C-alpha cells in the first residue's frame, strides 16, 4: 500500500508541476528589451551580460538562456525573450534599460512607373543620369526574393564591394538558393515569428531567403531590378521592366512570413542589427504597424529604434506610410525615417463592356480573359439564394446567389468599402456565372484587381447608363473585353491613392508625415512564380500599395547616394522633399485625391510628388545629425530614459525646431518662431529669396527674407515667425509653404502645417 501511495504522490507532483509550468508558459509574452548602444568588445560579452540581467529577474542563467529568443549585439544592445508581464515590468525599472515592449506584428503595407518619373514628369529642363557613379547597397526587409528572376541578373556588374560584410544563407538544403553580383547577401529571420505563432511548416514555406509570397521580389525589383525587355502580364503594360537604379546591389533580409501580421518586431530588429553591421547604404521596408496596434512612443517602435541606429551610421531608411487611407493613420512617423505615400501614374487599365444595343461602357480591371460571345446580364439583387434578402445578395457574398439563375450569365455585383473584390468574382464563378460587372464607387481606378472570370469595374456615369439599359431591356446582353493599357498625357496624374495613409503624425506630432509621395498604383514588377495568383504562376505581376511607392523613393535615394556618396540620410531626404512638386503633370493643377477629386494636403502627400532629376541638384539642404535627433528626443514623450543615449540640454529645444525640410507645429496657440538652417549646394555665389503662401488667420514673417551665399557648403539660418490674427480657427489645421528661390535655377520648398490648438481671441 505504501508503494502505491508513493506512486500516486509522485504522479500528482509531476502533474501539478507540469500544470504550473504550462500556466507559466501560457502567461508569458514575447518582449523586446532595448538598451541602446553598448561598449562591449565582442558579441559574447553582450550575450553574457544580457543573460546576467535577465537571470536577476527570472531566477537563473539557465532560465534566462531558455527564455531568450534573440540577442541584439552588433549595432546596438538588447534582447527579446518570453517573459511574464511582471518580469517585463521589473526590467522596465532597471536603470540600464531604455524600453521594454511586447513584440508586435507588422503588416506588409515596373514597365512604366520609372519612365513616368524619369522622363514624362516635368523636370524643370533638367536631365538625369541613372547610371551608377559608385556602388550602392540597398538592404530590403520583406518576404525574401526569387533569385532566378531575370530582373536580378548580374550582367555588367563588377565585383561585390569589399566593404559588405553580409552573408548569403541558403537555408533549406532542398532550396538551391544562391546569390550573385546583384543579390550580394540574403538572410532570413523566423525565431520571433515562431515564438509568437508556432513553428513554420517547411512544406508550405521556404525556410530560406526565397520568396513564396511575391511581395519582396516585387519591391526589390522596383528598387534595383536589371533592365528586362518585352515584359508584360499577358500583354498588359507591355514594355521594358527596370528598377530605379539597375546597377545597385541588393542585400535581402527576409523578415515576413505568411498571414496577417507576419512580420514580427523581434525578427525586424534582428535584421536591423545585421544590416547596419553588414554595411548597407539604404534600408527599404514596405511594412509597418496598423493603427489598431498602437505605439506609446518612439522607444516602443522597432522601426524607430532600428532606423535611429541606422541613421547614426549614415544609412537612410525608406519606409511605407501605410494603406489605411484615413487621417492620423500614417505609419513610420519617426523624423529619421523617409516615409512614402502612394499616388497614381498616367496609365489606365480599361476593360470595356459592349452592351447588346452597341453601347460601350468604359470599365477598369486587370482582365486578360476573352469572352467568345454576348451573354445575358442579371443584377445580383434579382437572383438571391433561397432565404437571402435581395440587398445582401447584391454584394455577391458567399452562399447568397441562386446558382440556377446566374449560370451562363454576367452578374452585376455591388461592393462596400472593405469587401474583398476578388472573392465576389469567385462566388459568381462558383455559381456558374461567366463574368462580373462590379459597382464600386470607392476605389476609383486605384487598384486593378485580378479575377478568375472576365470582370469590369464601372464608375458612376457608366453604372447609370447600365441601369437604364437593363430597366428597358429585360433580356439585355453584353460582352466584357480584355483589358487594354492606355498611357496618355491626358490622364491627370499623379493623384493620391485612396488607400494611402494620412497624417497628422501621432508618434511625432511636430513632424509632417508622410514625407513624400511616389507611384504606388498598379505597378508591374517581378514576382515569385511560387506565389499564387488568379492567373496561375507568373514572373511579373501588378500590385498596389504604399509597399510599391516606398521602393520608388528608395530607388531615387539610391541614385542620389550614388552621385553624392558623402551625403547624410538627412541631406538625401531634404533634396528629395524640397524639390518635389505639388501639381499634376498634364494640367499643372494641384494634386487631388482619388476617387473624389478633392484637393490633397501635406497630410496626404507630404512635400509633394517625387521629382528625381531636380533632387540631384536641390540648391539648398536642410541637414541634421545624431546630436540634433537627441535634442529632438529629449523633448518628446518617453524621454525619461534618454540619459542612456545622451545628455539632454536644459531647457530642451522645441521639437518643431528640428532642422527638418518641412515645418510643423502641432500645438499652435500663440506667437511661435521656428528656426531653420540651410546649407548651400551649388557653384559660386548665390542669393536666395523667400516667398511664402498666405495662411488664413496667421501672419507669416520670414527673417531674413534673403540669404546670400558666398560658396558651396556655407550654412545660413533663418526664422519663420507665425503670429495669429484675431480670428478663431480652433481645431483646424492650416497649411502653407515657404520657397527659397535663386533666379530660375533653384526652388527649394517646404510645406507648413499649423494645428490651431485653441481659439484665438
Amino acid at each position: 500500500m505504501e508503494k502505491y501511495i508513493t506512486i500516486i504522490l509522485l504522479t500528482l507532483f509531476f502533474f501539478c508541476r507540469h500544470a504550473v509550468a504550462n500556466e507559466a508558459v501560457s502567461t508569458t509574452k514575447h518582449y523586446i528589451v532595448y538598451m541602446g548602444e553598448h561598449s562591449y568588445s565582442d558579441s559574447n560579452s553582450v550575450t553574457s551580460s544580457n543573460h546576467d540581467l535577465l537571470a536577476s529577474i527570472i531566477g537563473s542563467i539557465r532560465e534566462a538562456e531558455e527564455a531568450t529568443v534573440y540577442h541584439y549585439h552588433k549595432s546596438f544592445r538588447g534582447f527579446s525573450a518570453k517573459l511574464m508581464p511582471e518580469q517585463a515590468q521589473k526590467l522596465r525599472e532597471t536603470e540600464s534599460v531604455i524600453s521594454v515592449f511586447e513584440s508586435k506584428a507588422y503588416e506588409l503595407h515596373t514597365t512604366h512607373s520609372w519612365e513616368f518619373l524619369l522622363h514624362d514628369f516635368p523636370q524643370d529642363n533638367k536631365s538625369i543620369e541613372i547610371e551608377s557613379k559608385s556602388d550602392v547597397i540597398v538592404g530590403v526587409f520583406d518576404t525574401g526574393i526569387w533569385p532566378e528572376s531575370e530582373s536580378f541578373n548580374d550582367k555588367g556588374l563588377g565585383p561585390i564591394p569589399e566593404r559588405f560584410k553580409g552573408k548569403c544563407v541558403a537555408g533549406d538544403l532542398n532550396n538551391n538558393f544562391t546569390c550573385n553580383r546583384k543579390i550580394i547577401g540574403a538572410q532570413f529571420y523566423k525565431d520571433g515569428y515562431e515564438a509568437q505563432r508556432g513553428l513554420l511548416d517547411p512544406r508550405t514555406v521556404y525556410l530560406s531567403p526565397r520568396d513564396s509570397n511575391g511581395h519582396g521580389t516585387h519591391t526589390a525589383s522596383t528598387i534595383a531590378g536589371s533592365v528586362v525587355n518585352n515584359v508584360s502580364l499577358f500583354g498588359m503594360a507591355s514594355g521594358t521592366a527596370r528598377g530605379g537604379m539597375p546597377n545597385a546591389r541588393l542585400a535581402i533580409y527576409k523578415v515576413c512570413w505568411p498571414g496577417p501580421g507576419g512580420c514580427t518586431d523581434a525578427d525586424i530588429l534582428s535584421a536591423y542589427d545585421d544590416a547596419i553591421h553588414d554595411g548597407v547604404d539604404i534600408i527599404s521596408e514596405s511594412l509597418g504597424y496598423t493603427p489598431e496596434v498602437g505605439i506609446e512612443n518612439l522607444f516602443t517602435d522597432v522601426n524607430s529604434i532600428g532606423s535611429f541606429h541606422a541613421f547614426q551610421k549614415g544609412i537612410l531608411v525608406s519606409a511605407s506610410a501605410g494603406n489605411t487611407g484615413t487621417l492620423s493613420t500614417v505609419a513610420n512617423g519617426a523624423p529619421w525615417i523617409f516615409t512614402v505615400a502612394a499616388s497614381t501614374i498616367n496609365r489606365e487599365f480599361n476593360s470595356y463592356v459592349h452592351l447588346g444595343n452597341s453601347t460601350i461602357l468604359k470599365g477598369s480591371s486587370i482582365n486578360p480573359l476573352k469572352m467568345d460571345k454576348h451573354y445575358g446580364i442579371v443584377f445580383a439583387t434579382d437572383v438571391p439564394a433561397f432565404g437571402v434578402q435581395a440587398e445582401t445578395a447584391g454584394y455577391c457574398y458567399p452562399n447568397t446567389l441562386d446558382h440556377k439563375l446566374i449560370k451562363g450569365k454576367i452578374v452585376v455585383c455591388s461592393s462596400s468599402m472593405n469587401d474583398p473584390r476578388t472573392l465576389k468574382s469567385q462566388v459568381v464563378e462558383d455559381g456558374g456565372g461567366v463574368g462580373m460587372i462590379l459597382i464600386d464607387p470607392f476605389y476609383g481606378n486605384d487598384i486593378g484587381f485580378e479575377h478568375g472570370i472576365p470582370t469590369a469595374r464601372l464608375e458612376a456615369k457608366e453604372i447609370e447608363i447600365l441601369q437604364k439599359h437593363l430597366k428597358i431591356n429585360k433580356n439585355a446582353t453584353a460582352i466584357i473585353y480584355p483589358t487594354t493599357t492606355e498611357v496618355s498625357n491626358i490622364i491627370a496624374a499623379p493623384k493620391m491613392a485612396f488607400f494611402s495613409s494620412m497624417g497628422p503624425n501621432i508618434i511625432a506630432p511636430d513632424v509632417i508625415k508622410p514625407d513624400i509621395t511616389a507611384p504606388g498604383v498598379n505597378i508591374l514588377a517581378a514576382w515569385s512564380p511560387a506565389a499564387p495568383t488568379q492567373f496561375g504562376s507568373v514572373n511579373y505581376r501588378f500590385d498596389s500599395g504604399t509597399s510599391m511607392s516606398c521602393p520608388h523613393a528608395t530607388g531615387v535615394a539610391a541614385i542620389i547616394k550614388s552621385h553624392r556618396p558623402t551625403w547624410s540620410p538627412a541631406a538625401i531626404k531634404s533634396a528629395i522633399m524640397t524639390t518635389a512638386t505639388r501639381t499634376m503633370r498634364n494640367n499643372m493643377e494641384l494634386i487631388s485625391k482619388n476617387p473624389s477629386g478633392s484637393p490633397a494636403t501635406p497630410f496626404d502627400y507630404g512635400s509633394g510628388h517625387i521629382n528625381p532629376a531636380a533632387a540631384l541638384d536641390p540648391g539648398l539642404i536642410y541637414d541634421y545629425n545624431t546630436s540634433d535627433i537627441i535634442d529632438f528626443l529629449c523633448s518628446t514623450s518617453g524621454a525619461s530614459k534618454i540619459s542612456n543615449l545622451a545628455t539632454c540640454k536644459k531647457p530642451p529645444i522645441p521639437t518643431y525646431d528640428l532642422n527638418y525640410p518641412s515645418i510643423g507645429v502641432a500645438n499652435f496657440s500663440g506667437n511661435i518662431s521656428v528656426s531653420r538652417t540651410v546649407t548651400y549646394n551649388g557653384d559660386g555665389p548665390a542669393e536666395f529669396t523667400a516667398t511664402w503662401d498666405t495662411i488664413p488667420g496667421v501672419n507669416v514673417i520670414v527673417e531674413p527674407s534673403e540669404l546670400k551665399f558666398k560658396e558651396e557648403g556655407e550654412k545660413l539660418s533663418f526664422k519663420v515667425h507665425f503670429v495669429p490674427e484675431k480670428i478663431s480657427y480652433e481645431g483646424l489645421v492650416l497649411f502653407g509653404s515657404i520657397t527659397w528661390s535663386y533666379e530660375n535655377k533653384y526652388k527649394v520648398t517646404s510645406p507648413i502645417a499649423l494645428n490651431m490648438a485653441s481659439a484665438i481671441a
Side-chain angles (χ1 to χ4, degrees):
M1 177 64 71
E2 200 172 297
K3 175 182 177 182
Y4 291 117
I5 292 173
T6 302
I7 293 173
I8 292 170
L9 289 174
L10 285 172
T11 302
L12 288 172
F13 170 76
F14 285 115
F15 174 79
C16 292
R17 183 179 179 185
H18 180 70
V20 170
N22 275 349
E23 170 140 6
V25 170
S26 67
T27 56
T28 62
K29 295 180 180 180
H30 190 191
Y31 287 92
I32 290 174
V33 181
Y34 170 59
M35 305 171 74
E37 295 184 349
H38 69 80
S39 57
Y40 292 94
S41 58
D42 55 63
S43 60
N44 289 335
S45 299
V46 177
T47 300
S48 176
S49 181
N50 287 347
H51 284 152
D52 288 342
L53 171 63
L54 190 53
S56 69
I57 301 297
I58 66 176
S60 70
I61 293 293
R62 182 184 61 80
E63 289 174 304
E65 291 174 343
E66 291 176 350
T68 306
V69 178
Y70 276 118
H71 288 282
Y72 309 118
H73 53 81
K74 295 178 181 177
S75 306
F76 45 85
R77 183 186 173 192
F79 59 90
S80 76
K82 301 295 286 292
L83 304 170
M84 290 185 285
E86 56 269 26
Q87 294 169 336
Q89 183 56 38
K90 287 181 180 179
L91 283 168
R92 288 189 186 97
E93 297 165 0
T94 304
E95 185 177 352
S96 61
V97 172
I98 293 176
S99 59
V100 179
F101 53 96
E102 188 178 346
S103 177
K104 299 178 285 294
Y106 275 62
E107 298 286 348
L108 289 167
H109 277 181
T110 104
T111 54
H112 180 64
S113 57
W114 281 110
E115 185 177 332
F116 177 69
L117 282 177
L118 298 176
H119 302 294
D120 290 349
F121 204 79
Q123 306 293 346
D124 300 326
N125 298 318
K126 297 179 180 179
S127 61
I128 183 167
E129 297 179 39
I130 60 172
E131 295 304 314
S132 175
K133 299 294 184 183
S134 60
D135 271 314
V136 175
I137 304 169
V138 181
V140 183
F141 292 10
D142 215 296
T143 64
I145 197 167
W146 193 263
E148 291 83 7
S149 171
E150 188 60 24
S151 287
F152 305 120
N153 77 75
D154 61 359
K155 296 173 184 175
L157 293 177
I160 295 172
E162 292 183 2
R163 59 190 167 87
F164 182 66
K165 303 175 185 176
K167 299 179 291 186
C168 187
V169 180
D172 188 337
L173 293 177
N174 298 318
N175 178 47
N176 298 320
F177 186 98
T178 58
C179 294
N180 57 13
R181 289 172 298 175
K182 164 65 74 174
I183 304 172
I184 63 173
Q187 300 180 59
F188 65 102
Y189 305 81
K190 65 182 181 64
D191 292 353
Y193 181 94
E194 291 187 331
Q196 294 170 224
R197 298 286 192 86
L199 296 180
L200 290 158
D201 186 348
R203 295 171 299 178
T204 58
V205 297
Y206 297 109
L207 298 183
S208 77
R210 185 175 292 280
D211 181 16
S212 61
N213 176 280
H215 192 275
T217 301
H218 198 282
T219 57
S221 66
T222 302
I223 297 166
S226 303
V227 175
V228 184
N229 296 320
N230 302 317
V231 170
S232 71
L233 180 65
F234 301 109
M236 292 176 285
S238 179
T240 299
R242 49 153 294 183
M245 189 174 174
N247 289 340
R249 316 302 182 107
L250 292 168
I252 304 303
Y253 301 86
K254 181 177 176 178
V255 296
C256 295
W257 300 91
C263 324
T264 65
D265 278 352
D267 290 334
I268 293 168
L269 198 57
S270 186
Y272 268 113
D273 195 24
D274 285 338
I276 295 169
H277 174 266
D278 291 345
V280 303
D281 298 300
I282 299 170
I283 292 172
S284 186
E285 50 178 7
S286 292
L287 47 87
Y289 290 134
T290 59
E292 297 78 28
V293 171
I295 305 172
E296 296 176 15
N297 55 58
L298 291 163
F299 297 103
T300 59
D301 169 25
V302 294
N303 265 1
S304 297
I305 293 169
S307 59
F308 169 75
H309 290 279
F311 180 90
Q312 286 184 303
K313 299 296 184 181
I315 301 167
L316 173 68
V317 175
S318 174
S320 50
N323 299 330
T324 306
T326 52
L327 286 168
S328 304
T329 60
V330 63
N332 299 312
W336 48 88
I337 297 177
F338 192 29
T339 312
V340 190
S343 44
T344 64
I345 60 176
N346 63 336
R347 181 174 66 186
E348 291 181 348
F349 297 101
N350 297 318
S351 186
Y352 291 89
V353 179
H354 190 175
L355 300 178
N357 67 349
S358 297
T359 299
I360 296 179
L361 305 177
K362 181 181 178 182
S364 62
S365 185
I366 302 296
N367 171 37
L369 306 172
K370 293 182 179 180
M371 277 188 164
D372 55 354
K373 62 178 181 178
H374 280 71
Y375 289 90
I377 311 172
V378 293
F379 274 99
T381 50
D382 294 333
V383 289
F386 179 76
V388 176
Q389 293 184 346
E391 181 179 354
T392 301
Y395 289 95
C396 297
Y397 296 138
N399 304 314
T400 62
L401 302 178
D402 188 322
H403 290 188
K404 292 181 181 179
L405 297 179
I406 68 171
K407 186 175 182 180
K409 304 287 187 181
I410 296 172
V411 183
V412 182
C413 302
S414 297
S415 189
S416 62
M417 181 64 181
N418 296 316
D419 281 355
R421 272 66 177 170
T422 301
L423 178 61
K424 296 178 185 295
S425 60
Q426 186 65 54
V427 169
V428 173
E429 183 180 10
D430 290 345
V434 295
M436 182 178 75
I437 295 174
L438 186 61
I439 299 174
D440 187 359
F442 301 101
Y443 277 24
N445 291 324
D446 273 9
I447 298 180
F449 291 98
E450 296 177 356
H451 300 276
I453 54 175
T455 297
R457 181 208 161 272
L458 301 183
E459 295 191 17
K461 181 181 177 181
E462 283 74 18
I463 291 169
E464 186 177 342
I465 295 171
L466 176 65
Q467 289 172 330
K468 288 181 179 179
H469 177 68
L470 293 182
K471 189 174 183 180
I472 297 171
N473 301 280
K474 300 298 183 185
N475 297 315
T477 63
I479 186 170
I480 300 173
Y481 289 115
T483 295
T484 59
T485 306
E486 297 186 23
V487 178
S488 172
N489 290 340
I490 298 175
I491 299 171
K495 290 183 178 180
M496 294 308 302
F498 81 95
F499 56 75
S500 189
S501 290
M502 302 158 58
N505 185 358
I506 298 301
I507 197 169
D510 283 324
V511 178
I512 298 174
K513 291 285 181 171
D515 291 310
I516 204 81
T517 186
V521 177
N522 294 331
I523 305 301
L524 184 68
W527 195 254
S528 166
T533 75
Q534 289 292 327
F535 312 130
S537 177
V538 298
N539 295 318
Y540 290 85
R541 188 194 185 198
F542 294 106
D543 210 348
S544 297
T546 55
S547 282
M548 283 64 247
S549 57
C550 168
H552 281 92
T554 304
V556 174
I559 294 171
I560 296 174
K561 183 70 175 178
S562 172
H563 286 252
R564 313 275 191 179
T566 62
W567 276 13
S568 69
I572 294 173
K573 279 183 60 175
S574 175
I576 296 173
M577 291 170 65
T578 59
T579 57
T581 178
R582 293 184 293 164
T583 58
M584 292 184 285
R585 66 174 305 279
N586 65 316
N587 56 19
M588 301 310 291
E589 293 180 0
L590 293 177
I591 294 174
S592 61
K593 301 180 187 180
N594 255 352
S596 66
S598 58
T601 74
F603 284 168
D604 298 291
Y605 53 63
S607 294
H609 193 273
I610 202 164
N611 186 345
L616 272 175
D617 186 21
L620 300 177
I621 290 291
Y622 293 84
D623 209 351
Y624 51 93
N625 56 30
T626 301
S627 176
D628 299 314
I629 291 297
I630 294 296
D631 290 341
F632 175 88
L633 288 171
C634 286
S635 300
T636 62
S637 62
S640 59
K641 290 281 189 176
I642 197 66
S643 58
N644 288 347
L645 295 173
T647 302
C648 288
K649 295 177 181 177
K650 294 183 179 180
I653 296 173
T655 51
Y656 54 70
D657 272 345
L658 176 67
N659 201 43
Y660 212 68
S662 59
I663 297 174
V665 180
N667 188 8
F668 182 56
S669 57
N671 294 3
I672 285 181
S673 295
V674 175
S675 299
R676 291 291 187 271
T677 298
V678 287
T679 304
Y680 177 48
N681 178 72
D683 297 325
E687 183 174 330
F688 285 77
T689 303
T691 56
W692 53 91
D693 297 336
T694 299
I695 300 178
V698 179
N699 188 21
V700 181
I701 303 168
V702 179
E703 184 182 16
S705 60
E706 293 183 350
L707 297 175
K708 297 180 180 180
F709 297 93
K710 298 177 182 178
E711 59 185 1
E712 184 178 8
E714 185 179 358
K715 298 179 183 291
L716 292 176
S717 299
F718 64 92
K719 289 183 179 291
V720 184
H721 305 288
F722 298 106
V723 182
E725 299 173 354
K726 292 185 178 181
I727 303 173
S728 175
Y729 286 90
E730 182 178 5
L732 297 180
V733 178
L734 305 180
F735 297 104
S737 67
I738 177 174
T739 300
W740 289 99
S741 303
Y742 170 52
E743 298 178 346
N744 292 322
K745 189 173 183 180
Y746 296 120
K747 287 187 177 181
V748 186
T749 301
S750 297
I752 297 170
L754 306 176
N755 191 337
M756 310 298 283
S758 61
I760 309 296

